[in-house]
Amino acid sequence: MPQLDTSTWFITITSMIMTLFILFQLKISNYLYPASPESTELKTQKHSTPWEMKWTKIYLPLSLPLR
């Protein structure tokens, strides 16, 4: 059975990885990104819910006074 020639594998794999890297860089460079995401101000809307006006407190079982 003949021996498998692996002498060209390194250059083949290296060139494939470099080609994929270049292709992905070209694809990514076509996207338009905003200059600074922090500059856009988000408008917060005030939702009126019935429980906003009430004062509530959750008591943990261990924080209750001893009987």
Side-chain angles (χ1 to χ4, degrees):
M1 194 162 155
Q3 191 94 17
L4 181 62
D5 184 21
T6 60
S7 62
T8 59
W9 283 15
F10 177 74
I11 192 69
T12 305
I13 293 171
T14 308
S15 63
M16 178 191 66
I17 290 173
M18 285 175 49
T19 305
L20 284 173
F21 177 76
I22 292 169
L23 285 174
F24 277 116
Q25 290 297 320
L26 289 173
K27 275 200 149 309
I28 290 173
S29 67
N30 288 335
Y31 289 111
L32 295 175
Y33 295 106
S36 62
E38 295 86 20
S39 65
T40 59
E41 294 180 13
L42 297 175
K43 296 178 182 175
T44 58
Q45 296 178 348
K46 183 71 175 166
H47 298 289
S48 59
T49 54
W51 57 83
E52 282 183 353
M53 301 304 293
K54 297 178 183 176
W55 182 83
T56 58
K57 185 173 182 180
I58 299 172
Y59 291 97
L60 295 173
L62 294 176
S63 67
L64 292 174
L66 295 173
R67 292 186 190 183

